[in-house]
Amino acid sequence: MTDATELRTRTREFLAEYPPATTAPEEFLRARFDAGLAWVHYPEGLGGLGAARALQAVVDAELEAAAAPDNDPRRIGIGLGMAAPTILAFGTEEQKKRLLRPLWTGDEVWCQLFSEPGAGSDLAALATRAVRDDDASGEGAGDWIVNGQKVWTSNAHNARWAILIARTDPALPKHRGISYFLCDMTDPGVEVRPLRQITGEAEFNEVFLTDVRIPDTMRLGEIGDGWKVAQTTLMNERVAIGGSRIPREGGMIAPTVALWRERPELRTHDLHQRLLGLWVEAEVARLTGERLRQQLVAGQPGPEGSGMKLGFARLNQRISGLEVELLGEEGLLYDDWTLRRPEIVDFTGRDAGYRYLRSKGNSIEGGTSEVLLNIVAERVLGLPSEPRTDKDVAWKDLAR
């Protein structure tokens, strides 16, 4: 069993072999994965050492002290926080070996093909169909032919791969007739169209799937088990959003605190008290997220992440609102309405108006706040579930 001392020694030896100052970032990241220092709780050969998850902090501290290059979760967060733990939990050995390394290094970007125009909060109502091609012979025999539309797909315009859920048996109730696939976004029949947001950007997209052929070897989990597999993705997504690793006084609170320190003429007693309260809440959220990540069993978080994500959305919106209020008339200005196609969501690199507008999406993405409240109520507090009259009805018989 690897302990902190052994891991610290291993990391320092790695840094001596690959000095950050003279090693190209992409070479460094690939070598770090191969050395098992990417995510130490993953198995050996898959970027890890089979060590305790909490020991990742030992590696991170050594690498940070050496000014080592790191991947950018803002750009590849869907791959790191959602696709990777799901592939680890349900993937074949071939899928893990092919996909995890370029996912972690950022050589291949991932997106999520889940939500649909008629299946957002009620995701299990999805209508995208995957039909087995049993009439084909040769290489295409047994492939799945996928048709449908997905929406709110972050970073689809940059993605090589997508995690995809589709209906494979409409005669079953909606939660039981779904299967989970890994879709190559460069395949014929995949069309990505931008969706312009309130910020002016188009980081989201709608994706149209027309006779997209997916080999059965790119199915994740058993046929019909897609909802079960998707729950792993969604629970990890909420931890990734609500419990992301940030430094003290980092994240959304950082620019507001900096503004307070740099512009004393904007200060009032009332705003001072509110800022202090939000600073404390941000610090509590940061420490709670750290504890949550350390408690996780790799790939299988519980419903607690829903509470973290819910708190993250509310806190971000309150902080960005205070920043705009602190700026007064300046807070009404907005720097750029250009239709951009960004690779990352940069909350701190834009102005207060951007942060205020973009934070509105925090209560929708990764599960709406209303849905997360239900999850916390039912799965954390043990309260009775809401009545669901469609739970045992065949999907094909549901009104749409």
Side-chain angles (χ1 to χ4, degrees):
M1 175 84 58
T2 303
D3 61 18
T5 301
E6 180 183 345
L7 196 53
R8 190 174 292 108
T9 300
R10 182 190 288 259
T11 305
R12 290 174 180 175
E13 291 173 350
F14 172 79
L15 288 167
E17 184 176 357
Y18 296 93
T22 57
T23 306
E26 59 273 14
E27 180 187 352
F28 185 91
L29 291 176
R30 292 166 190 156
R32 178 180 166 183
F33 184 94
D34 295 339
L37 302 176
W39 32 45
V40 297
H41 56 289
Y42 274 43
E44 292 189 36
L46 298 176
L49 299 168
R53 187 187 187 107
L55 290 177
Q56 185 66 48
V58 175
V59 175
D60 293 342
E62 293 293 327
L63 295 176
E64 186 176 343
D70 203 353
N71 53 29
D72 189 348
R74 298 174 302 171
R75 175 174 170 265
I76 59 173
I78 292 175
L80 293 174
M82 300 161 61
T86 310
I87 293 169
L88 179 66
F90 293 96
T92 64
E93 289 306 310
E94 291 76 15
Q95 289 169 341
K96 295 173 188 177
K97 290 177 181 177
R98 162 62 185 87
L99 298 168
L100 288 178
R101 187 175 188 260
L103 179 158
W104 189 87
T105 61
D107 290 318
E108 293 179 347
V109 176
W110 285 70
C111 66
Q112 178 193 31
L113 298 178
F114 276 28
S115 296
E116 300 183 5
S121 293
D122 185 14
L123 180 59
L126 63 90
T128 294
R129 289 278 280 118
V131 178
R132 198 75 176 264
D133 187 4
D134 292 324
D135 295 330
S137 58
E139 187 176 343
D143 288 354
W144 296 86
I145 308 301
V146 181
N147 286 276
Q149 179 187 356
K150 299 292 183 175
V151 75
W152 313 126
T153 308
S154 300
N155 231 10
H157 54 292
N158 297 314
R160 165 63 197 278
W161 292 99
I163 45 179
L164 162 71
I165 50 177
R167 190 160 305 281
T168 48
D169 191 343
L172 292 175
K174 60 183 183 180
H175 292 87
R176 288 162 40 201
I178 296 171
S179 298
Y180 196 116
F181 301 94
L182 307 175
C183 176
D184 188 336
M185 293 292 287
T186 66
D187 277 348
V190 179
E191 180 187 0
V192 179
R193 300 181 189 175
L195 286 175
R196 193 172 191 187
Q197 301 151 232
I198 194 173
T199 60
E201 295 180 331
E203 74 191 63
F204 292 136
N205 306 271
E206 52 184 346
V207 178
F208 293 84
L209 305 162
T210 306
D211 293 332
V212 178
R213 184 175 289 271
I214 299 179
D216 190 54
T217 55
M218 299 309 287
R219 171 171 47 83
L220 208 60
E222 299 299 324
I223 298 172
D225 273 356
W227 188 251
K228 173 185 174 182
V229 181
Q231 288 306 298
T232 294
T233 302
L234 294 171
M235 292 300 181
N236 276 283
E237 176 183 20
R238 288 155 193 166
V239 173
I241 294 174
S244 57
R245 184 174 179 267
I246 58 174
R248 183 174 182 176
E249 210 172 274
M252 187 70 85
I253 197 68
T256 307
V257 170
L259 178 67
W260 182 268
R261 290 171 175 152
E262 295 164 5
R263 300 279 301 276
E265 75 276 10
L266 301 176
R267 302 173 187 172
T268 69
H269 176 74
D270 174 61
L271 292 176
H272 183 223
Q273 294 302 111
R274 288 166 57 191
L275 178 59
L276 283 175
L278 290 172
W279 190 96
V280 170
E281 289 188 44
E283 181 65 6
V284 169
R286 183 184 73 84
L287 295 174
T288 303
E290 180 67 30
R291 184 175 65 178
L292 177 63
R293 289 192 304 276
Q294 292 179 4
Q295 290 176 341
L296 291 178
V297 176
Q300 297 292 340
E304 298 86 353
S306 296
M308 281 299 303
K309 192 269 168 182
L310 178 67
F312 162 86
R314 291 178 169 180
L315 185 59
N316 268 8
Q317 291 166 0
R318 290 167 60 206
I319 293 172
S320 62
L322 177 65
E323 184 185 14
V324 169
E325 189 175 347
L326 179 62
L327 282 165
E329 293 179 354
E330 291 180 56
L332 300 178
L333 301 177
Y334 191 70
D335 63 345
D336 189 359
W337 288 98
T338 304
L339 174 59
R340 305 185 190 183
R341 303 288 275 145
E343 283 197 357
I344 62 172
V345 180
D346 185 8
F347 278 98
T348 58
R350 298 282 298 276
D351 64 4
Y354 172 83
R355 283 186 284 277
Y356 179 77
L357 294 175
R358 181 58 183 82
S359 68
K360 300 305 178 188
N362 292 161
S363 52
I364 301 172
E365 58 197 344
T368 65
S369 293
E370 292 77 9
V371 168
L372 298 185
L373 283 169
N374 276 349
I375 292 174
V376 171
E378 296 172 14
R379 303 182 195 175
V380 179
L381 301 179
L383 299 178
S385 302
E386 289 189 354
R388 295 180 174 91
T389 58
D390 60 352
K391 192 172 183 180
D392 298 316
V393 180
W395 178 85
K396 64 183 179 60
D397 296 328
L398 296 175
R400 284 182 294 281

